Structures are given as C-alpha cells and as structure tokens.
Amino acid sequence: MRKTLDRDKMPRHVAIIMDGNGRWAKKKQLQRIKGHEAGIKAVERTVEYCAKTGIQVLTLYAFSSENWRRPALEVRALMKLLRLFLRRETARLIKNNIRLQAIGQLYRLEPVVRAELKKAMDKTSSCTGMVLNLALSYGSRDEIIRAMKHFFQELESGGKDLAALTPETFHDYLDTAGLPDPDLILRTGGEYRLSNFLLWQAAYAELYFSETLWPDLAESELEEIFLDYQHRERRFGMISEQLS
Ligand code: FPP
C-alpha cells in the first residue's frame, strides 16, 4: 500500500468541520477563546499544507448559523479573530496565489467584518491557485431554502421553466455555485455528525472523523487523512469493475 501521497489522486475539494477548540482550551485550563486563537494557527497550517499538496478548494466551517446562539462574549471574540485573520493573512494568501471566497449568511456579519472580508476577497480575486472558502454564519438548510427561493422568484418572473430544475442546475443557486462538490469532509474533535454543513454537496463525499482536537491537527495527520482518502474506492453508485 502506498505510503506517500499520489499527487494525481488528491481530493479536489476538502471541507473541514473544525471542532474541539473549546475542549482543547479546557484541557489546558484556559478560556475558550484561547482555544479559538490556537485554532487559527491550525487554520494557517492547514491552508498552507492544502495549497502545497495541490488541493483546489478548501472549505472551512468557521462559524455556523447556529453559532450566533453562543454567549455574546464568545461570538464577539470569534468575530474579532476573524477580522484579525483576514487582515493578517491576506498578504500570505496573495503570496501563495490563494483566492478567498465565503459562503453563508454574510449579511448577518457586522459591517466591519463584512468590509474586512470584502477587502480580502477583492485583493485575492485574481489569484488562480487554491480557493479558500470560508463558511461564515453558514447553515446548509438555510442555504438550500435561499437557493429555492431564488429559483422560485425566477420562475414567477417568467425567466425560468420548472423543467429546467435538475440536481445540476440547482447547484448554481447554492452558495457553492461554481465550486466542485467536496470529495472529502473531515471533522475533528471526535464527534460524528455533519452539523448542517454542506448537506446537498456532501452526497458523494468521503467522510473522515478524527479524534484530534482542531488546534492539535498537524500536517502529518493531514497527510495520513489524504492517504486514507486515496485508498478508498469511490464508486458513485457503480460497481468496482466499472471503474477500471
Ligand atoms: C468549534 O470548536 C469551532 C468553532 C465554532 C469555530 C472555529 C473557528 C476557528 C478555528 C477560528 C476562526 C477561524 C477562522 C478561519 C478565522 P468548539 O468551540 O465547538 O469546540 P468544543 O466542541 O470543544 O467546545
């Protein structure tokens, strides 16, 4: 069995549920926010590693539409960290030819956060390497409903025909329009659920659950995870013999 990554078999789109920041902090008797700060370092390592290994799209679940329900102090701290990340990382993204994109209810973000996000997206807009896609105030059910409303508005105004709605055309109404579906969804932190993340797009994704708390995720484990992915047989409903 191959022990080094096959660059021709890398997942095109990797999506990550970064879980475990709070528990990481608790274990060290630190405040939860310290866990999120350490989480940012893991984000930086992961972005760099994915870009280096030829991943085309990396989606990170940075803040869910349900995370607004957390204590106001934690929400404020997370938003501050996001702004810092955007301000600090933009130059590095440009240097590594990474284009920043975002999905979710971006209208719910504070204007200062939205402005910082827009600035970073504009500055990286001509980068042609990996796409770093941040899921912010994101929830999959909300995304699907917004997509349906958009389609039905077009239907009502006469611009669309119901027969035109197929799984492929529906994709164009989702926040992830233009991006391939995730090939690999990773969740850290030892929980085994998708938590309203990319439910439509996950139809054929390979799932990987790691016990590692997000701030502890190292390049070496990412390599193991990608190797594990490369040893899986993705049949998309067919049988093995049809694949060869
Ligand atoms: C889950 O850990 C993590 C989050 C809700 C936020 C993830 C945010 C970061 C990694 C930092 C910000 C990211 C960017 C891209 C700027 P948890 O708090 O639910 O951990 P727990 O389950 O151990 O409590």
Side-chain angles (χ1 to χ4, degrees):
M1 205 142 83
R2 220 187 140 103
K3 289 207 170 56
T4 53
L5 286 178
D6 180 346
R7 289 306 185 98
D8 296 328
K9 281 191 176 169
M10 295 304 289
R12 270 209 301 171
H13 182 171
V14 175
I16 308 183
I17 303 173
M18 309 179 288
D19 197 12
N21 294 350
R23 276 164 287 157
W24 183 92
K26 198 169 178 188
K27 255 175 52 182
K28 294 188 154 31
Q29 296 183 313
L30 297 169
Q31 288 181 322
R32 290 180 58 83
I33 188 62
K34 293 288 172 202
H36 296 312
E37 281 172 18
I40 295 266
K41 296 216 175 73
V43 167
E44 291 168 2
R45 286 195 299 275
T46 303
V47 169
E48 197 145 316
Y49 183 73
C50 287
K52 195 170 76 184
T53 49
I55 302 300
Q56 291 175 25
V57 184
L58 171 64
T59 296
L60 298 178
Y61 206 2
F63 194 83
S64 78
S65 45
E66 287 75 31
N67 284 153
W68 293 110
R69 295 197 210 127
R70 291 195 174 196
L73 209 66
E74 182 167 340
V75 170
R76 259 205 306 279
L78 275 168
M79 288 299 143
K80 196 169 159 200
L81 275 181
L82 173 62
R83 278 173 67 195
L84 274 175
F85 170 82
L86 294 169
R87 221 177 292 157
R88 230 181 29 207
E89 275 303 292
T90 306
R92 193 147 38 148
L93 294 180
I94 295 169
K95 187 172 145 251
N96 291 324
N97 198 22
I98 297 170
R99 181 159 61 84
L100 185 74
Q101 199 175 303
I103 56 172
Q105 308 161 317
L106 304 182
Y107 58 88
R108 286 184 76 182
L109 301 174
E110 273 179 64
V112 277
V113 180
R114 261 201 329 258
E116 204 72 60
L117 181 66
K118 184 175 181 314
K119 202 155 86 185
M121 290 197 298
D122 287 348
K123 283 188 177 168
T124 61
S125 62
S126 47
C127 293
T128 54
M130 187 175 85
V131 172
L132 171 59
N133 182 35
L134 294 185
L136 298 169
S137 187
Y138 175 85
S140 195
R141 288 180 171 180
D142 165 76
E143 177 195 31
I144 292 169
I145 296 291
R146 282 189 286 110
M148 283 173 67
K149 285 182 176 164
H150 184 179
F151 178 81
F152 285 120
Q153 270 160 7
E154 290 192 356
L155 194 69
E156 259 174 17
S157 64
K160 273 275 158 18
D161 175 0
L162 192 56
L165 188 61
T166 66
E168 289 72 30
T169 58
F170 186 61
H171 186 99
D172 298 338
Y173 291 85
L174 294 168
D175 293 352
T176 51
L179 298 177
D181 283 343
D183 300 295
L184 173 64
I185 296 181
L186 158 67
R187 180 174 189 142
T188 60
E191 310 274 4
Y192 305 91
R193 51 178 177 270
L194 286 178
S195 298
N196 205 12
F197 185 50
L198 301 176
L199 300 181
W200 173 277
Q201 299 87 336
Y204 283 101
E206 295 297 324
L207 307 180
Y208 192 104
F209 298 97
S210 163
E211 297 299 315
T212 305
L213 302 175
W214 173 252
D216 288 331
L217 189 77
E219 277 196 5
S220 52
E221 187 173 353
L222 277 169
E223 185 182 11
E224 271 170 41
I225 294 167
F226 291 166
L227 273 170
D228 180 276
Y229 166 85
Q230 292 187 340
H231 289 124
R232 295 190 190 185
E233 185 180 65
R234 304 186 72 199
R235 291 193 294 277
F236 301 98
M238 295 180 282
I239 62 168
S240 277
E241 288 71 15
Q242 288 177 295
L243 299 173
S244 48

